[in-house]
Amino acid sequence: MNGRPATRDEKYTAWALWTLAFVALWLTESAVGYTRDESVYFAAAESYAGWFRQLLHSPARALTDAAIVRAWDYNHEHPALMKTLFGLSHLLFHDTLGWMRSATAFRLPAFALAAVVPALSFLLGSALYGRAAGLFAAFAFMLVPRQYFNAELACFDLPVAALWLLVVYCFWRALEDTRWGIACGVAFGLALTAKHNALFLPFVLTPFALWRAWSASESEPEARSWLLRFVGVFASVAVLYGLLVLSLGGSEGFQQKFFLLSPHSLLFVGLAAGGAWTLKGLEKVNVRVTRALVPIAAMAVLGPVLFYLHWPYLWHQPVDRTAWYLAFHAKHNHYAWFYLGTLLREPPFPLAYVLVKTALTVPTSLFAPMVTGFLALAARVLLSQFEKTRAWVPPVTMAEALVGVNAVASILVISHPQVPHFGGVKHWFPSMVFLGLLAGQAVSRGCVALVERLRARWPSLPGLAVSVPVFAVLLTPALVYSARVFPYGTAAYSELAGGLPGAATLGMQRQFWSSHVTGVLPWINEHAKPGARLFLHEVHGGSFRDYQRNGMLRPDLRPVGSPFEADIVAYQYHQEFREFEFNTWQAFGTRTPTMGLYLDETPQVVVYVRPEPLQ
C-alpha cells in the first residue's frame, strides 16, 4: 500500500505516543549526566541565542559578518538547527521565565524531536503492517537503553534519526499526494540542518522514485518521454558541474570561482527551472509519475536552500564555509575505541563491527524480532527472483523495500572499514528506526499465525489474548533492563554479551562520553574538603561548569588538569586512558580507590582521594 493517510484513531494514538515519550524523557532527564559533546552544544546554543538578542536590538550590526562570526563560529563543524533550538529554548524557559533549570531548558527541543520517532513509527508501521506492528515498533525503539539515553541529550543523533524517518514518511506519502512531495523536500532540508548523516538520503530515495516513475509510465510513451527529460535535466547539470570542476583545475579552483553570479549558481537555477518544467509537463500526462518525482526535485532544490538560510554563519561566505564543513566530516578524527579486546585506533576497522555492536547492545528480546523481520524480507526478495520459488512468497512491495533499504543504509555506511568507528551505536540510529518496523512486522505476523492455530481449538479466542502476552514477553525484559541501567546508558549491554560483566570480559568499551561521573558526584559533594581540587577524568571543562550551575556539584570545588594537581580523582575506566589511573597511583601513593560506581560489579568510575600527610 502506497501513501495511505492515517485514520483519525491512528493520529490520536500517534499523538499519545509522542506525549508519552516526551513526558517520560522530561521526567527522567535530571538524572542524566552531561556528555562532552552536549556541554559544547550548550555553550554554542547560548552564543547563538545571544546573537538573536542582538538581532532584536541592533539588526544592522547583528547582520554583519563580524557579528555573525563572533556568535556563530563556535562549533561551526556542525549545522545550527538543533543548537539554535536549544539556545532559544534556554533563553525562553530558563533565562526569561525561570521555569526550568539550565540543562532541562537546553534539552527540551531534543525531547520533542526524539518523541517523533515512536509517533511516526506507529503511523508508518500501522499503514504498512497493521496497528500491532506499529505499536511494537514505537515501544521497541524507546526501550533500547542506548537509544533512550541519547534521546535525553541536547545532541543531534536522535533528532537526525527522527528527521530521516520524517523524510522517508513524506516520500512514501508523496506517492499518493503531490503536496507531500514538497513536504519531503522541506523535511530533507531540516534533516540537513540537523546533521550531515542526511546527505545520504537522496542516494537512498532516488532509486525508489525512479523505479516508481518507470513502472507508472510503462504503457504511456509520452509520460516515459517526460520522465527521460527529467532525468536528462539532472544528468546534464551533474555533467556540467563535473566539467566545471575539471576546467577550473579541481575542487579548489571550483570553490574559488563559486559566487552568486557564476556558472555554478546558474546551473543550480537551471536545475530548479528544468525540474519544474518537466514536472509541469508530466502532470498533464501522468500524475502518478509526477508524484514519484516531485520529492527528488524538492530535495534537490529546497535542501540546499534551507541549509543555507538556517545558518547565519554561511550567509556572507557560503561556499568556503560549506566546503570547510564538508571537508571536516570527510576527514573526521579517529578516536580510540575498545572492541573485542582490541584497541581500535586507525582504519581499516573490522567489517562486522556494526553488526556485532548492535547484537551486543540491543536487548535480545528486541534484537531477535529485528533479525527475523529483516531476514524474512530478504528471503522474500531472494525467492522472488527465481521462477520456481516465486509462487511461494508474496511479492515485495515498494514500501516494504523502502523500509528494508533504510534498515541497512546507515549500517552499511558506518560499516565501511575507513569510516571512523566510535560513539557506541549512535551513528546508525536511522537504521534502528526501520529495524524496529521490521521487528513489529515479524511480531505482528507471528501473533496472527498463533491466533489462527489456537482458534482451531478455541474459535472465539480474541486476538488480544495472544498479542498482549507476546508483547509483554518481548518488551518487558527491555523495559526492566532499561530501568536497571538508567541513567548509565552507554554501559548497556545485552544478554548476548552477558550483560555488563560479560561485555567487560569480552573486551568491549565499558562506557564513554563521561556522563557516568554523576554516580560519584554525591559522594564527592559530601566528602570533599572546601575548595578541593578535582580531576574528573574525561569530563569536559564545560561539563564541570554545567554540573555546578545545575546544582549537581558544589560551586567551591575547582577543576584541575591532571591527577598530580588534584585532591580527588574520578577515573572513568577506559582501556585507551589507563595511564591516567597509573598517574593517579603515582601521585597519591596508593592503588586503592576510596569508592566508585559499579554496575553489576563492573567498575565504571573509581574515585581516589589523596592521603592526608602524616602529622
Side-chain angles (χ1 to χ4, degrees), residues 29 34 38 42 90 94 101-108 154 550:
E29 66 83 25
Y34 310 125
E38 193 178 27
F42 286 171
H90 187 266
H94 178 74
R101 68 179 192 138
S102 177
T104 306
F106 279 127
R107 289 170 165 175
L108 208 62
N550 285 280

Side-chain angles (χ1 to χ4, degrees), residues 155-191:
C155 290
F156 316 139
D157 301 291
L158 249 297
V160 79
L163 291 168
W164 185 300
L165 175 59
L166 178 62
V167 172
V168 174
Y169 182 78
C170 292
F171 178 84
W172 172 73
R173 289 294 306 274
L175 298 178
E176 300 297 334
D177 188 338
T178 305
R179 292 172 299 177
W180 283 92
I182 304 300
C184 182
V186 174
F188 174 63
L190 293 176

Side-chain angles (χ1 to χ4, degrees), residues 336-397:
W337 204 254
F338 204 40
Y339 172 74
L340 295 180
T342 301
L343 199 57
L344 306 178
R345 293 187 181 275
E346 59 186 7
F349 298 113
L351 187 63
Y353 173 88
V354 174
L355 295 180
V356 172
K357 191 76 175 179
T358 303
L360 297 184
T361 55
V362 176
T364 305
S365 63
L366 302 180
F367 182 70
M370 288 179 184
V371 173
T372 302
F374 180 77
L375 290 180
L377 179 62
R380 286 171 57 201
V381 171
L382 183 63
L383 292 173
S384 65
Q385 302 305 308
F386 303 99
E387 189 174 346
K388 291 183 178 180
T389 56
R390 194 171 296 151
W392 298 359
V393 295
V396 175
T397 66

Side-chain angles (χ1 to χ4, degrees), residues 226 229-230 233 270-283:
W226 279 106
R229 290 189 189 106
F230 180 88
V233 167
L271 177 69
W277 168 68
T278 52
L279 289 174
K280 277 291 184 183
L282 258 174
E283 191 175 27

Side-chain angles (χ1 to χ4, degrees), residues 248-333:
L248 295 174
S251 58
E252 194 169 317
F254 178 85
Q255 179 182 330
Q256 291 174 353
K257 298 292 185 178
F258 196 156
F259 40 84
L260 182 59
L261 296 178
S262 67
H264 313 58
S265 301
L266 292 176
L267 281 177
F268 180 77
V269 173
L271 177 69
W277 168 68
T278 52
L279 289 174
K280 277 291 184 183
L282 258 174
E283 191 175 27
K284 299 172 183 177
V285 178
N286 189 313
V287 175
R288 290 177 65 209
V289 178
T290 307
R291 288 171 178 164
L293 298 177
V294 166
I296 304 306
M299 286 194 292
V301 176
L302 296 180
V305 170
L306 289 175
F307 181 78
Y308 168 75
L309 291 177
H310 101 283
W311 202 352
Y313 185 71
L314 303 180
W315 290 354
H316 290 273
Q317 297 185 38
V319 177
D320 291 344
R321 290 172 183 173
T322 299
W324 183 94
Y325 158 71
L326 295 173
F328 173 86
H329 290 285
K331 303 173 183 177
H332 199 286
N333 293 337

Side-chain angles (χ1 to χ4, degrees), residues 514-529:
S514 77
S515 61
H516 289 20
V517 75
T518 54
V520 301
L521 290 185
W523 187 93
I524 292 174
N525 285 329
E526 182 179 352
H527 294 91
K529 62 185 180 183

Side-chain angles (χ1 to χ4, degrees), residues 59-104:
R61 181 176 298 178
L63 292 172
T64 63
D65 191 48
I68 287 173
V69 169
R70 188 162 51 248
W72 295 84
D73 186 61
Y74 187 68
N75 192 237
H76 64 269
E77 58 264 38
H78 292 291
L81 174 66
M82 294 311 302
K83 290 173 288 183
T84 301
L85 294 176
F86 301 155
L88 294 177
S89 174
H90 187 266
L91 182 63
L92 176 62
F93 294 114
H94 178 74
D95 292 345
T96 304
L97 299 176
W99 289 357
M100 302 173 190
R101 68 179 192 138
S102 177
T104 306

